[in-house]
Amino acid sequence: MDQNRITQLFGIKYPIVQGGMIWASGWRLASAVSNAGGLGLLGAGSMYPDVLKEHIDKCQKATDKPFGVNVPMLYPNIDELMEIIVSSGVKIVFTSAGNPKTWTAFLKKHVITVVHVVSSVKFALKAQDAGVDAIVAEGFEAGGHNGRDETTTMVLIPSVREKISIPLIAAGGIATGQAILATMVLGADGVQLGSRFAASTEGSSHDLFKEQIIAAKEGDTHLTLKELAPVRLLKNKFYEDVQKAYEQGASPEDLKNLLGRARAKRGMFEGDLVEGELEIGQVSGLIHEIKPAAEIVKDLMTEFGKAKEAVKNF
């Protein structure tokens, strides 16, 4: 693949970003993706400051290629996280779940490339106005926390492309080379994949959760808990408990109490497939094998090349 705006922005070989997922994106996965030619991201959302520092140090030792950190801005220790990122020499930060104006100027002052994750045109424009270097536009097919408007990637990418001039990364429902080509035709400069890399050998989530990903079929995930923060989950006992709570007229406070604390860690990191929160995307139905990250990147680029060749005479 020729160089484009995303590969040039990050200094990488392929315009493939590994999503900074909670409980899956530690230093092993991030460094493996970066070494394979993509951009690996550490998922700071599941890391205390000292743990993030450890993962940055280990990632720097495991790869001499660019990597970044994904920081959800709802994190309570975000000031400390940002200071660690700056002092550790991290050069790429993806921010999400908050106002991009809050940290973009601070990060840019330290010569850090800033990317913000959005789920709508409205927030894409706000991110561009805030001075970010690129945007991830994530359709509601994606796993984990998601947009309230439920705009699909197929609609979101051209809608955002129409309104912004900075580089655009597509996310949500992408796990194949064919999907990469499709999003680029729609106007994306690169892609971010979460679910496909969650089911990787190097992903730090529990093996039982990885097995659930590759066992998932069409319709096995659902976007729920919109009153708190919309999240796409695999259907299990906890999910069914949420649905029963809705049927009984649960208030947002009731749902918050049902969710409790650390339920995502319990499910994805500790492997509690019954009571845990299992965050994954719709595209899990297309993921059939747990593979090393380097093999995933290689497969994606092979599929991309074949898809591009197949449609060249259309």
Side-chain angles (χ1 to χ4, degrees):
M1 178 183 283
D2 296 332
Q3 288 283 290
N4 71 1
R5 293 206 291 174
I6 288 299
T7 56
Q8 290 170 355
L9 179 64
F10 299 135
I12 56 179
K13 185 175 181 180
Y14 306 124
I16 294 173
V17 178
Q18 161 250 312
M21 306 160 284
I22 63 167
W23 305 118
S25 308
W27 69 270
R28 288 183 180 85
L29 178 56
S31 62
V33 172
S34 290
N35 283 333
L39 180 71
L41 296 181
L42 297 172
S46 51
M47 298 178 184
Y48 290 115
D50 59 330
V51 176
L52 175 61
K53 173 62 175 167
E54 176 189 348
H55 279 260
I56 291 172
D57 291 346
K58 287 183 175 178
C59 203
Q60 287 171 334
K61 289 173 183 169
T63 184
D64 59 357
K65 304 290 194 300
F67 72 91
V69 178
N70 179 73
V71 183
M73 291 190 286
L74 298 175
Y75 198 98
N77 298 85
I78 190 165
D79 294 58
E80 197 173 347
L81 289 183
M82 291 300 190
E83 290 297 339
I84 288 170
I85 285 168
V86 169
S87 64
S88 299
V90 173
K91 294 302 181 187
I92 301 167
V93 171
F94 281 49
T95 55
S96 58
N99 187 342
K101 285 187 177 179
T102 310
W103 287 100
T104 297
F106 170 83
L107 293 168
K108 298 283 284 182
K109 185 177 73 175
H110 290 91
V111 200
I112 293 172
T113 299
V114 182
V115 183
H116 191 65
V117 182
V118 303
S119 58
S120 69
V121 173
K122 174 184 174 182
F123 289 109
L125 288 168
K126 285 189 174 183
Q128 180 172 257
D129 291 344
V132 303
D133 296 287
I135 286 168
V136 175
E138 185 175 74
F140 104 116
E141 300 96 321
H145 291 288
N146 219 309
R148 295 183 183 277
D149 296 332
E150 301 191 10
T151 307
T152 64
T153 302
M154 179 72 82
V155 174
L156 182 62
I157 298 308
S159 298
V160 172
R161 177 76 288 160
E162 187 177 54
K163 298 295 184 180
I164 69 166
S165 58
I166 60 178
L168 173 60
I169 300 167
I174 303 166
T176 65
Q178 292 91 334
I180 294 174
L181 179 61
T183 60
M184 289 186 165
V185 171
L186 292 172
D189 301 292
V191 293
Q192 177 175 286
L193 289 76
S195 299
R196 174 61 276 200
F197 285 116
S200 67
T201 308
E202 297 91 347
S204 52
S205 51
H206 200 283
D207 285 346
L208 289 176
F209 175 53
K210 295 179 188 180
E211 293 291 342
Q212 285 294 107
I213 297 171
I214 63 172
K217 302 290 188 296
E218 179 186 0
D220 283 352
T221 71
H222 185 242
L223 190 70
T224 188
L225 293 172
K226 291 181 74 172
E227 292 81 358
L228 304 181
V231 63
R232 181 172 296 282
L233 304 176
L234 272 172
K235 296 175 181 178
N236 65 349
K237 180 184 177 296
F238 166 66
Y239 166 82
E240 296 299 338
D241 289 344
V242 171
Q243 300 316 110
K244 288 176 185 175
Y246 276 117
E247 291 170 6
Q248 295 166 4
S251 67
E253 190 63 28
D254 293 332
L255 294 171
K256 189 175 180 181
N257 290 334
L258 175 60
L259 178 62
R261 290 181 57 82
R263 198 178 282 271
K265 179 183 180 183
R266 187 172 171 182
M268 294 183 282
F269 192 69
E270 297 174 355
D272 185 343
L273 305 182
V274 178
E275 296 290 350
E277 188 179 16
L278 307 177
E279 301 179 12
I280 204 68
Q282 281 185 338
V283 81
S284 53
L286 286 175
I287 301 169
H288 309 304
E289 189 177 357
I290 299 166
K291 293 183 175 183
E295 195 172 329
I296 292 171
V297 172
K298 182 180 178 181
D299 288 347
L300 289 169
M301 294 313 302
T302 299
E303 292 165 1
F304 175 86
K306 288 180 179 178
K308 194 174 179 182
E309 185 68 21
V311 300
K312 72 175 185 178
N313 295 320
F314 275 20

